[in-house]
């Protein structure tokens, strides 16, 4: 928050990376938010940097920015909460992890691999914007073997239900003719819901298993499934400078 700039409480919360503005309004209405030690439930309140704002007892401006690279296992939702009470990605953080991080984009419940978590809203929005073209590398186990025509369609960009994919890089890594499956590497820079599965399904080769091995220049090296590490300052700076 800029010094002495008064702004609405929900905006200050959103800028601090607590939650979206709408979610912040819900937190306020639900009595979760204290301003200078007093619960504030009404919406019009304005605050500046001198006000002490706490959400469920945690001061919002004390939150250090965190940039986490996690190796997501299968069977975990990439969200901070789930209606069906399934395990969520933030359940994998150590008990003493204080900051309210959330995933940058998502991986399906049954997809494993590299996912970033942060409490830096600008950073997350930037990386998720298609214009920044972060390359994501997936390894898919698919049914059958790709014909040359299939590879061309995947590579050139293809019409899916409501959008056309950008050109992709496709590498067939191996084929198991006995089991009738193949392992294929696919590199794309978009992030539509279920995009990889939909692309392979569209060429008639459904995905049996999917993992994300790389996100831009970041890899899973040194991590085992379910574990995470902080990005280095250099890695964060490199991601931030991405145009
Ligand atoms: N594409 C998919 O189909 N699923 C993912 O989890 C990620 C990309």
């Amino acid at each position: 928050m800029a010094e002495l700039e008064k702004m609405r409480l929900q905006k200050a919360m959103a800028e601090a990376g607590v939650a979206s503005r709408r979610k912040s309004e819900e937190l306020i209405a639900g009595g979760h938010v204290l301003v200078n030690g007093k619960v504030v439930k009404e919406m019009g309140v304005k605050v500046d940097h001198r006000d002490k704002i706490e959400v469920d007892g945690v001061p919002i401006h004390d939150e250090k920015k965190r940039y986490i690279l996690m190796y997501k296992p299968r069977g975990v939702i990439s969200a901070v909460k789930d209606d069906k009470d399934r395990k969520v990605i933030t359940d994998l953080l150590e008990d003493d992890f204080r900051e309210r991080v959330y995933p940058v984009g998502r991986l399906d419940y049954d997809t494993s691999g590299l996912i970033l978590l942060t409490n830096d809203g600008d950073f997350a929005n930037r990386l998720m914007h298609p214009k920044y073209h972060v390359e994501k590398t997936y390894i898919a186990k698919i049914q059958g073997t790709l014909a040359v025509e299939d590879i061309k369609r995947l590579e050139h960009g293809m019409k899916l239900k409501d959008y056309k994919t950008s050109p992709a890089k496709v590498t067939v890594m191996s084929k198991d003719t006995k089991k009738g499956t193949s392992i294929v590497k696919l590199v794309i820079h978009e992030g539509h819901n279920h995009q990889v599965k939909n692309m392979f399904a569209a060429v008639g080769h459904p995905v049996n298993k999917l993992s994300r091995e790389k996100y831009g220049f970041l890899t899973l090296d040194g991590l085992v499934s379910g574990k995470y590490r902080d990005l280095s300052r250099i890695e964060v700076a490199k991601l931030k400078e991405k145009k």
Side-chain angles (χ1 to χ4, degrees), residues 70-78 87-89 92 107-115 210 224-227:
M70 183 180 277
Y71 187 159
K72 176 192 170 301
R74 292 194 174 81
V76 176
I77 298 278
S78 45
K87 193 168 192 173
V88 295
I89 199 154
L92 298 172
L107 287 179
D108 294 336
Y109 184 68
D110 59 355
T111 299
S112 63
L114 197 162
I115 188 157
L210 185 63
V224 294
S225 177
K227 296 294 176 198

Side-chain angles (χ1 to χ4, degrees), residues 106-112 138 188 191-198 207 210 212:
R106 65 177 117 166
L107 287 179
D108 294 336
Y109 184 68
D110 59 355
T111 299
S112 63
Y138 294 91
I188 56 173
H192 294 283
N193 263 352
H194 315 306
Q195 182 170 344
V196 175
K197 291 176 186 166
N198 290 341
V207 169
L210 185 63
R212 182 156 73 190

Side-chain angles (χ1 to χ4, degrees), residues 1-2 11 19 43 57-58 66 94 96 103 115 121 135-136 141 153 165 195 197 202 212 236:
M1 206 185 314
K11 183 166 187 239
M43 285 310 137
V58 182
R66 294 289 294 266
E94 304 278 334
D96 60 354
I115 188 157
E135 281 199 337
K136 292 128 195 154
K141 183 177 182 186
R153 281 184 67 201
T165 64
Q195 182 170 344
K197 291 176 186 166
R212 182 156 73 190
V236 173

Side-chain angles (χ1 to χ4, degrees), residues 35 43-44 54 64 68 84 97 105 147 153 164 212 223:
V35 177
M43 285 310 137
E54 290 165 86
K64 186 174 134 200
I68 301 296
K84 296 181 199 147
F97 197 101
R153 281 184 67 201
K164 186 172 181 287
R212 182 156 73 190
L223 284 180

Side-chain angles (χ1 to χ4, degrees), residues 79-232:
V80 296
K81 68 170 198 252
D82 180 49
D83 304 341
K84 296 181 199 147
D85 249 6
R86 286 170 296 184
K87 193 168 192 173
V88 295
I89 199 154
T90 43
D91 291 338
L92 298 172
L93 299 169
E94 304 278 334
D95 289 345
D96 60 354
F97 197 101
R98 296 287 296 156
E99 294 80 11
R100 298 153 187 272
V101 293
Y102 53 87
V104 178
R106 65 177 117 166
L107 287 179
D108 294 336
Y109 184 68
D110 59 355
T111 299
S112 63
L114 197 162
I115 188 157
L116 299 181
L117 298 147
T118 188
N119 54 354
D120 182 339
D122 288 342
F123 176 82
N125 289 336
R126 230 176 116 86
L127 287 181
M128 283 191 283
H129 200 288
K131 133 174 154 200
Y132 290 106
H133 283 210
V134 181
E135 281 199 337
K136 292 128 195 154
T137 304
Y138 294 91
I139 303 290
K141 183 177 182 186
I142 59 164
Q143 261 166 253
T145 49
L146 293 172
V148 174
E149 269 316 302
D150 302 329
I151 296 176
K152 275 193 192 147
R153 281 184 67 201
L154 292 164
E155 281 179 341
H156 288 174
M158 60 204 294
K159 184 109 187 49
L160 293 181
K161 240 184 239 149
D162 46 7
Y163 63 96
K164 186 172 181 287
T165 64
S166 298
K169 292 181 205 152
V170 181
T171 314
V172 177
M173 317 277 290
S174 63
K175 297 176 193 177
D176 186 332
T177 37
K178 265 196 209 135
K179 290 195 184 134
T181 57
S182 321
I183 306 289
V184 182
K185 178 159 91 178
L186 185 77
V187 183
I188 56 173
H189 62 71
E190 304 145 296
H192 294 283
N193 263 352
H194 315 306
Q195 182 170 344
V196 175
K197 291 176 186 166
N198 290 341
M199 286 172 75
F200 283 112
V203 292
H205 297 279
V207 169
N208 293 347
K209 219 172 179 188
L210 185 63
S211 71
R212 182 156 73 190
E213 302 289 302
K214 282 182 81 183
Y215 186 92
F217 58 89
L218 297 169
T219 69
L220 289 167
D221 287 357
L223 284 180
V224 294
S225 177
K227 296 294 176 198
Y228 58 93
R229 68 170 176 89
D230 283 280
L231 293 180
S232 70

